[in-house]
Amino acid sequence: SSSSMTLLRLLLIERWHTSPVFARRRELEPFSALAPGEGVLVLHELPGMIRRDYAVAMDLGTVWFQHTGLPFVFLVWAARQDVLSLDQLRLLNQQLHHAAKASRELAVEYAAYYGTSPELAAEFVGGNRRYYLDYFLLEGMSEFLSRAQNLDLLPQTVHDTARAGLLSRAPVRPRRRVA
């Protein structure tokens, strides 16, 4: 994903003080063409999906958290207020909750195949995926955007947060994460 690639570039610059050349490949087996000193960015859904067959050094979301103390937001669905009807918002909310439950169930089902425990798989999917943006997630997203823009990895933009709740449409205020 573009967010993963930008995050990788940012971490390479800030954390490891390097800026390698990147090449996009569409190979089914990206590891077979690696030369010494080269690496590959692989997207995965569960811990162990890649580690089962290959030595993976780290998970980008985990490295970002270690680097900043903030969560990383890989994907956001957003719409302008009043674009969707209240019935459409309810259906979207219902589908998101259904998807979250199905993802956890599939993670547990496939855990053994990927060499991880059902508990770890469920936590990775259920514990790491959010279908809302709270203050802590917004802070992580804002920090990433700011750093990436400062490094010219992303264009300068203005981003704003929601001003109304998904279903209630009542005004919302950012909530601070309680440690």
Side-chain angles (χ1 to χ4, degrees):
S1 72
S2 295
S3 56
S4 297
M5 181 60 81
T6 304
L7 175 58
L8 176 59
R9 289 177 187 267
L10 185 149
L11 289 169
L12 284 165
I13 293 167
E14 287 190 0
R15 190 169 173 101
W16 296 292
H17 311 290
T18 186
S19 188
V21 174
F22 285 84
R24 194 175 285 264
R25 295 190 178 148
R26 298 195 183 274
E27 299 171 23
L28 293 175
E29 188 53 52
F31 295 90
S32 63
L34 289 179
E38 291 184 333
V40 64
L41 171 64
V42 178
L43 304 181
H44 61 95
E45 293 294 316
L46 286 176
M49 283 182 79
I50 307 303
R51 293 182 189 106
R52 187 169 60 94
D53 296 321
Y54 305 101
V56 171
M58 57 211 59
D59 176 80
L60 285 179
T62 301
V63 175
W64 169 258
F65 186 83
Q66 292 166 347
H67 185 61
T68 65
L70 296 168
F72 188 80
V73 177
F74 284 94
L75 173 70
V76 174
W77 292 348
R80 286 183 168 74
Q81 192 171 349
D82 298 326
V83 168
L84 300 175
S85 70
L86 197 53
D87 287 339
Q88 289 171 318
L89 287 170
R90 282 191 183 108
L91 180 60
L92 176 61
N93 193 45
Q94 181 182 26
Q95 292 302 314
L96 289 174
H97 286 285
H98 176 73
K101 182 179 178 191
S103 293
R104 283 189 297 275
E105 289 170 357
L106 283 170
V108 168
E109 183 178 330
Y110 284 95
Y113 176 77
Y114 290 117
T116 191
S117 71
E119 296 79 18
L120 181 60
E123 175 59 25
F124 183 81
V125 172
N128 288 333
R129 293 187 181 167
R130 302 284 186 273
Y131 295 94
Y132 57 86
L133 288 172
D134 64 12
Y135 181 80
F136 195 48
L137 290 164
L138 286 170
E139 192 176 353
M141 185 173 70
S142 293
E143 183 66 21
F144 167 71
L145 292 172
S146 175
R147 288 177 185 227
Q149 290 168 358
N150 289 338
L151 294 169
D152 291 326
L153 299 174
L154 291 175
Q156 295 293 324
T157 59
V158 175
H159 59 279
D160 199 2
T161 59
R163 294 192 180 114
L166 179 64
L167 295 178
S168 69
R169 299 208 182 188
V172 295
R173 293 189 177 150
R175 292 179 296 213
R176 287 203 168 268
R177 180 176 170 264
V178 177

mmCIF file of all heavy atoms in Angstrom, residues 131-165:
data_model
loop_
_atom_site.group_PDB
_atom_site.id
_atom_site.type_symbol
_atom_site.label_atom_id
_atom_site.label_comp_id
_atom_site.label_asym_id
_atom_site.label_seq_id
_atom_site.Cartn_x
_atom_site.Cartn_y
_atom_site.Cartn_z
ATOM 1 N N TYR A 131 -12.301 0.544 13.880
ATOM 2 C CA TYR A 131 -13.271 1.042 12.920
ATOM 3 C C TYR A 131 -13.778 2.410 13.374
ATOM 4 O O TYR A 131 -14.920 2.762 13.167
ATOM 5 C CB TYR A 131 -14.389 0.022 12.743
ATOM 6 C CG TYR A 131 -13.848 -1.249 12.126
ATOM 7 C CD1 TYR A 131 -13.451 -2.325 12.913
ATOM 8 C CD2 TYR A 131 -13.679 -1.348 10.753
ATOM 9 C CE1 TYR A 131 -12.915 -3.467 12.339
ATOM 10 C CE2 TYR A 131 -13.148 -2.484 10.170
ATOM 11 C CZ TYR A 131 -12.769 -3.539 10.969
ATOM 12 O OH TYR A 131 -12.234 -4.658 10.397
ATOM 13 N N TYR A 132 -12.892 3.140 13.985
ATOM 14 C CA TYR A 132 -13.145 4.503 14.436
ATOM 15 C C TYR A 132 -11.786 5.167 14.620
ATOM 16 O O TYR A 132 -10.762 4.500 14.656
ATOM 17 C CB TYR A 132 -13.894 4.510 15.773
ATOM 18 C CG TYR A 132 -13.147 3.759 16.844
ATOM 19 C CD1 TYR A 132 -12.169 4.384 17.614
ATOM 20 C CD2 TYR A 132 -13.371 2.402 17.071
ATOM 21 C CE1 TYR A 132 -11.440 3.691 18.566
ATOM 22 C CE2 TYR A 132 -12.654 1.706 18.019
ATOM 23 C CZ TYR A 132 -11.691 2.352 18.765
ATOM 24 O OH TYR A 132 -10.967 1.668 19.706
ATOM 25 N N LEU A 133 -11.774 6.457 14.723
ATOM 26 C CA LEU A 133 -10.539 7.188 15.001
ATOM 27 C C LEU A 133 -10.713 7.899 16.334
ATOM 28 O O LEU A 133 -11.474 8.850 16.419
ATOM 29 C CB LEU A 133 -10.237 8.210 13.898
ATOM 30 C CG LEU A 133 -9.770 7.658 12.569
ATOM 31 C CD1 LEU A 133 -9.696 8.756 11.523
ATOM 32 C CD2 LEU A 133 -8.417 6.983 12.721
ATOM 33 N N ASP A 134 -10.027 7.422 17.342
ATOM 34 C CA ASP A 134 -10.061 8.127 18.620
ATOM 35 C C ASP A 134 -8.914 9.129 18.652
ATOM 36 O O ASP A 134 -8.153 9.267 17.688
ATOM 37 C CB ASP A 134 -10.021 7.158 19.801
ATOM 38 C CG ASP A 134 -8.742 6.342 19.892
ATOM 39 O OD1 ASP A 134 -7.758 6.657 19.179
ATOM 40 O OD2 ASP A 134 -8.717 5.386 20.687
ATOM 41 N N TYR A 135 -8.775 9.833 19.754
ATOM 42 C CA TYR A 135 -7.763 10.879 19.855
ATOM 43 C C TYR A 135 -6.361 10.324 19.628
ATOM 44 O O TYR A 135 -5.554 10.932 18.932
ATOM 45 C CB TYR A 135 -7.848 11.566 21.219
ATOM 46 C CG TYR A 135 -6.835 12.667 21.378
ATOM 47 C CD1 TYR A 135 -7.057 13.920 20.819
ATOM 48 C CD2 TYR A 135 -5.632 12.449 22.033
ATOM 49 C CE1 TYR A 135 -6.119 14.929 20.928
ATOM 50 C CE2 TYR A 135 -4.681 13.451 22.145
ATOM 51 C CZ TYR A 135 -4.935 14.688 21.592
ATOM 52 O OH TYR A 135 -4.003 15.679 21.685
ATOM 53 N N PHE A 136 -6.051 9.159 20.211
ATOM 54 C CA PHE A 136 -4.722 8.563 20.104
ATOM 55 C C PHE A 136 -4.399 8.205 18.649
ATOM 56 O O PHE A 136 -3.302 8.463 18.156
ATOM 57 C CB PHE A 136 -4.651 7.341 21.009
ATOM 58 C CG PHE A 136 -3.273 6.827 21.286
ATOM 59 C CD1 PHE A 136 -2.237 7.668 21.661
ATOM 60 C CD2 PHE A 136 -3.004 5.470 21.202
ATOM 61 C CE1 PHE A 136 -0.967 7.189 21.929
ATOM 62 C CE2 PHE A 136 -1.734 4.968 21.478
ATOM 63 C CZ PHE A 136 -0.719 5.831 21.839
ATOM 64 N N LEU A 137 -5.370 7.625 17.937
ATOM 65 C CA LEU A 137 -5.166 7.284 16.530
ATOM 66 C C LEU A 137 -5.023 8.540 15.674
ATOM 67 O O LEU A 137 -4.183 8.600 14.769
ATOM 68 C CB LEU A 137 -6.317 6.427 16.015
ATOM 69 C CG LEU A 137 -6.362 5.006 16.586
ATOM 70 C CD1 LEU A 137 -7.714 4.375 16.331
ATOM 71 C CD2 LEU A 137 -5.252 4.163 16.004
ATOM 72 N N LEU A 138 -5.836 9.551 15.952
ATOM 73 C CA LEU A 138 -5.724 10.816 15.216
ATOM 74 C C LEU A 138 -4.367 11.465 15.449
ATOM 75 O O LEU A 138 -3.772 12.026 14.532
ATOM 76 C CB LEU A 138 -6.843 11.778 15.629
ATOM 77 C CG LEU A 138 -8.220 11.436 15.087
ATOM 78 C CD1 LEU A 138 -9.278 12.303 15.763
ATOM 79 C CD2 LEU A 138 -8.266 11.587 13.581
ATOM 80 N N GLU A 139 -3.871 11.370 16.678
ATOM 81 C CA GLU A 139 -2.550 11.926 16.987
ATOM 82 C C GLU A 139 -1.465 11.192 16.201
ATOM 83 O O GLU A 139 -0.560 11.807 15.645
ATOM 84 C CB GLU A 139 -2.292 11.823 18.498
ATOM 85 C CG GLU A 139 -1.113 12.601 18.981
ATOM 86 C CD GLU A 139 -0.946 12.546 20.493
ATOM 87 O OE1 GLU A 139 -1.816 12.006 21.194
ATOM 88 O OE2 GLU A 139 0.084 13.040 20.952
ATOM 89 N N GLY A 140 -1.562 9.853 16.135
ATOM 90 C CA GLY A 140 -0.597 9.071 15.358
ATOM 91 C C GLY A 140 -0.657 9.408 13.885
ATOM 92 O O GLY A 140 0.385 9.555 13.220
ATOM 93 N N MET A 141 -1.873 9.553 13.346
ATOM 94 C CA MET A 141 -2.027 9.882 11.943
ATOM 95 C C MET A 141 -1.485 11.282 11.647
ATOM 96 O O MET A 141 -0.763 11.477 10.663
ATOM 97 C CB MET A 141 -3.501 9.795 11.542
ATOM 98 C CG MET A 141 -3.737 10.017 10.064
ATOM 99 S SD MET A 141 -5.439 9.708 9.554
ATOM 100 C CE MET A 141 -6.265 11.092 10.312
ATOM 101 N N SER A 142 -1.790 12.227 12.499
ATOM 102 C CA SER A 142 -1.302 13.598 12.304
ATOM 103 C C SER A 142 0.222 13.664 12.374
ATOM 104 O O SER A 142 0.865 14.364 11.582
ATOM 105 C CB SER A 142 -1.904 14.535 13.349
ATOM 106 O OG SER A 142 -3.279 14.672 13.140
ATOM 107 N N GLU A 143 0.805 12.915 13.306
ATOM 108 C CA GLU A 143 2.265 12.896 13.438
ATOM 109 C C GLU A 143 2.913 12.312 12.191
ATOM 110 O O GLU A 143 3.914 12.830 11.683
ATOM 111 C CB GLU A 143 2.679 12.104 14.680
ATOM 112 C CG GLU A 143 4.157 12.083 14.946
ATOM 113 C CD GLU A 143 4.735 13.456 15.300
ATOM 114 O OE1 GLU A 143 3.983 14.350 15.721
ATOM 115 O OE2 GLU A 143 5.962 13.623 15.165
ATOM 116 N N PHE A 144 2.351 11.228 11.679
ATOM 117 C CA PHE A 144 2.877 10.625 10.457
ATOM 118 C C PHE A 144 2.792 11.605 9.287
ATOM 119 O O PHE A 144 3.767 11.801 8.555
ATOM 120 C CB PHE A 144 2.126 9.336 10.121
ATOM 121 C CG PHE A 144 2.396 8.842 8.724
ATOM 122 C CD1 PHE A 144 3.627 8.300 8.397
ATOM 123 C CD2 PHE A 144 1.429 8.952 7.740
ATOM 124 C CE1 PHE A 144 3.890 7.858 7.100
ATOM 125 C CE2 PHE A 144 1.680 8.512 6.448
ATOM 126 C CZ PHE A 144 2.905 7.968 6.130
ATOM 127 N N LEU A 145 1.617 12.210 9.093
ATOM 128 C CA LEU A 145 1.450 13.147 7.984
ATOM 129 C C LEU A 145 2.425 14.315 8.092
ATOM 130 O O LEU A 145 3.039 14.718 7.108
ATOM 131 C CB LEU A 145 0.008 13.650 7.924
ATOM 132 C CG LEU A 145 -1.040 12.602 7.544
ATOM 133 C CD1 LEU A 145 -2.449 13.167 7.719
ATOM 134 C CD2 LEU A 145 -0.818 12.097 6.130
ATOM 135 N N SER A 146 2.591 14.835 9.287
ATOM 136 C CA SER A 146 3.503 15.956 9.506
ATOM 137 C C SER A 146 4.948 15.574 9.180
ATOM 138 O O SER A 146 5.650 16.279 8.459
ATOM 139 C CB SER A 146 3.391 16.438 10.953
ATOM 140 O OG SER A 146 4.337 17.429 11.219
ATOM 141 N N ARG A 147 5.392 14.428 9.709
ATOM 142 C CA ARG A 147 6.765 13.990 9.464
ATOM 143 C C ARG A 147 6.999 13.690 7.982
ATOM 144 O O ARG A 147 8.031 14.049 7.414
ATOM 145 C CB ARG A 147 7.092 12.755 10.302
ATOM 146 C CG ARG A 147 7.243 13.048 11.775
ATOM 147 C CD ARG A 147 7.490 11.754 12.541
ATOM 148 N NE ARG A 147 7.530 11.986 13.970
ATOM 149 C CZ ARG A 147 8.456 11.502 14.774
ATOM 150 N NH1 ARG A 147 9.424 10.730 14.301
ATOM 151 N NH2 ARG A 147 8.418 11.756 16.066
ATOM 152 N N ALA A 148 6.037 13.004 7.361
ATOM 153 C CA ALA A 148 6.183 12.659 5.944
ATOM 154 C C ALA A 148 6.205 13.916 5.080
ATOM 155 O O ALA A 148 6.970 13.993 4.114
ATOM 156 C CB ALA A 148 5.054 11.722 5.515
ATOM 157 N N GLN A 149 5.410 14.903 5.419
ATOM 158 C CA GLN A 149 5.413 16.158 4.666
ATOM 159 C C GLN A 149 6.732 16.903 4.873
ATOM 160 O O GLN A 149 7.293 17.450 3.926
ATOM 161 C CB GLN A 149 4.222 17.023 5.065
ATOM 162 C CG GLN A 149 2.907 16.450 4.573
ATOM 163 C CD GLN A 149 1.689 17.103 5.188
ATOM 164 O OE1 GLN A 149 1.793 17.988 6.032
ATOM 165 N NE2 GLN A 149 0.520 16.659 4.765
ATOM 166 N N ASN A 150 7.242 16.914 6.087
ATOM 167 C CA ASN A 150 8.520 17.581 6.362
ATOM 168 C C ASN A 150 9.684 16.943 5.612
ATOM 169 O O ASN A 150 10.669 17.611 5.305
ATOM 170 C CB ASN A 150 8.814 17.613 7.859
ATOM 171 C CG ASN A 150 7.906 18.568 8.597
ATOM 172 O OD1 ASN A 150 7.332 19.489 8.014
ATOM 173 N ND2 ASN A 150 7.744 18.347 9.894
ATOM 174 N N LEU A 151 9.589 15.651 5.336
ATOM 175 C CA LEU A 151 10.628 14.941 4.589
ATOM 176 C C LEU A 151 10.342 14.922 3.085
ATOM 177 O O LEU A 151 11.036 14.234 2.328
ATOM 178 C CB LEU A 151 10.761 13.502 5.108
ATOM 179 C CG LEU A 151 11.281 13.350 6.536
ATOM 180 C CD1 LEU A 151 11.121 11.909 7.022
ATOM 181 C CD2 LEU A 151 12.732 13.793 6.623
ATOM 182 N N ASP A 152 9.328 15.634 2.655
ATOM 183 C CA ASP A 152 8.889 15.674 1.252
ATOM 184 C C ASP A 152 8.506 14.295 0.712
ATOM 185 O O ASP A 152 8.682 14.005 -0.474
ATOM 186 C CB ASP A 152 9.957 16.313 0.351
ATOM 187 C CG ASP A 152 10.103 17.802 0.618
ATOM 188 O OD1 ASP A 152 9.084 18.463 0.938
ATOM 189 O OD2 ASP A 152 11.229 18.309 0.529
ATOM 190 N N LEU A 153 7.978 13.448 1.580
ATOM 191 C CA LEU A 153 7.484 12.146 1.157
ATOM 192 C C LEU A 153 6.018 12.229 0.759
ATOM 193 O O LEU A 153 5.506 11.361 0.059
ATOM 194 C CB LEU A 153 7.665 11.113 2.276
ATOM 195 C CG LEU A 153 9.098 10.867 2.718
ATOM 196 C CD1 LEU A 153 9.137 9.946 3.932
ATOM 197 C CD2 LEU A 153 9.915 10.290 1.574
ATOM 198 N N LEU A 154 5.343 13.263 1.254
ATOM 199 C CA LEU A 154 3.944 13.535 0.915
ATOM 200 C C LEU A 154 3.804 15.018 0.617
ATOM 201 O O LEU A 154 4.541 15.829 1.179
ATOM 202 C CB LEU A 154 3.017 13.180 2.093
ATOM 203 C CG LEU A 154 2.844 11.713 2.444
ATOM 204 C CD1 LEU A 154 1.984 11.568 3.702
ATOM 205 C CD2 LEU A 154 2.216 10.944 1.298
ATOM 206 N N PRO A 155 2.836 15.376 -0.221
ATOM 207 C CA PRO A 155 2.621 16.803 -0.478
ATOM 208 C C PRO A 155 2.046 17.494 0.760
ATOM 209 O O PRO A 155 1.418 16.852 1.604
ATOM 210 C CB PRO A 155 1.597 16.807 -1.627
ATOM 211 C CG PRO A 155 0.930 15.487 -1.557
ATOM 212 C CD PRO A 155 1.933 14.523 -0.978
ATOM 213 N N GLN A 156 2.276 18.783 0.860
ATOM 214 C CA GLN A 156 1.713 19.562 1.950
ATOM 215 C C GLN A 156 0.197 19.621 1.773
ATOM 216 O O GLN A 156 -0.292 19.983 0.716
ATOM 217 C CB GLN A 156 2.288 20.984 1.965
ATOM 218 C CG GLN A 156 3.774 21.026 2.248
ATOM 219 C CD GLN A 156 4.121 20.569 3.662
ATOM 220 O OE1 GLN A 156 3.406 20.822 4.616
ATOM 221 N NE2 GLN A 156 5.241 19.881 3.782
ATOM 222 N N THR A 157 -0.521 19.217 2.788
ATOM 223 C CA THR A 157 -1.985 19.238 2.751
ATOM 224 C C THR A 157 -2.515 19.685 4.095
ATOM 225 O O THR A 157 -1.788 19.714 5.086
ATOM 226 C CB THR A 157 -2.562 17.837 2.444
ATOM 227 O OG1 THR A 157 -2.123 16.933 3.465
ATOM 228 C CG2 THR A 157 -2.155 17.334 1.085
ATOM 229 N N VAL A 158 -3.786 19.991 4.106
ATOM 230 C CA VAL A 158 -4.472 20.310 5.349
ATOM 231 C C VAL A 158 -5.464 19.188 5.591
ATOM 232 O O VAL A 158 -6.226 18.823 4.687
ATOM 233 C CB VAL A 158 -5.214 21.662 5.243
ATOM 234 C CG1 VAL A 158 -6.026 21.924 6.492
ATOM 235 C CG2 VAL A 158 -4.223 22.781 4.976
ATOM 236 N N HIS A 159 -5.433 18.612 6.767
ATOM 237 C CA HIS A 159 -6.408 17.576 7.102
ATOM 238 C C HIS A 159 -7.156 18.011 8.346
ATOM 239 O O HIS A 159 -6.642 18.713 9.197
ATOM 240 C CB HIS A 159 -5.749 16.209 7.278
ATOM 241 C CG HIS A 159 -4.702 16.173 8.343
ATOM 242 N ND1 HIS A 159 -3.406 16.609 8.125
ATOM 243 C CD2 HIS A 159 -4.750 15.784 9.633
ATOM 244 C CE1 HIS A 159 -2.707 16.464 9.230
ATOM 245 N NE2 HIS A 159 -3.496 15.972 10.148
ATOM 246 N N ASP A 160 -8.391 17.603 8.399
ATOM 247 C CA ASP A 160 -9.264 17.994 9.494
ATOM 248 C C ASP A 160 -9.932 16.735 10.025
ATOM 249 O O ASP A 160 -10.048 15.740 9.322
ATOM 250 C CB ASP A 160 -10.316 18.978 8.980
ATOM 251 C CG ASP A 160 -10.965 19.772 10.086
ATOM 252 O OD1 ASP A 160 -10.590 19.606 11.257
ATOM 253 O OD2 ASP A 160 -11.866 20.575 9.768
ATOM 254 N N THR A 161 -10.368 16.790 11.247
ATOM 255 C CA THR A 161 -11.019 15.635 11.850
ATOM 256 C C THR A 161 -12.529 15.818 11.849
ATOM 257 O O THR A 161 -13.039 16.910 11.617
ATOM 258 C CB THR A 161 -10.526 15.431 13.293
ATOM 259 O OG1 THR A 161 -10.827 16.611 14.036
ATOM 260 C CG2 THR A 161 -9.042 15.170 13.326
ATOM 261 N N ALA A 162 -13.212 14.726 12.128
ATOM 262 C CA ALA A 162 -14.672 14.743 12.146
ATOM 263 C C ALA A 162 -15.186 15.745 13.168
ATOM 264 O O ALA A 162 -14.594 15.934 14.222
ATOM 265 C CB ALA A 162 -15.198 13.349 12.472
ATOM 266 N N ARG A 163 -16.280 16.321 12.801
ATOM 267 C CA ARG A 163 -16.922 17.275 13.709
ATOM 268 C C ARG A 163 -18.246 16.753 14.227
ATOM 269 O O ARG A 163 -18.894 17.401 15.018
ATOM 270 C CB ARG A 163 -17.128 18.591 12.987
ATOM 271 C CG ARG A 163 -15.827 19.254 12.636
ATOM 272 C CD ARG A 163 -16.068 20.679 12.185
ATOM 273 N NE ARG A 163 -14.791 21.273 11.848
ATOM 274 C CZ ARG A 163 -14.448 21.634 10.617
ATOM 275 N NH1 ARG A 163 -15.287 21.494 9.634
ATOM 276 N NH2 ARG A 163 -13.273 22.164 10.384
ATOM 277 N N ALA A 164 -18.665 15.567 13.717
ATOM 278 C CA ALA A 164 -19.932 14.989 14.140
ATOM 279 C C ALA A 164 -19.781 13.487 14.244
ATOM 280 O O ALA A 164 -18.999 12.876 13.530
ATOM 281 C CB ALA A 164 -21.028 15.336 13.137
ATOM 282 N N GLY A 165 -20.545 12.890 15.164
ATOM 283 C CA GLY A 165 -20.517 11.449 15.349
ATOM 284 C C GLY A 165 -21.078 10.718 14.141
ATOM 285 O O GLY A 165 -21.918 11.256 13.409
#
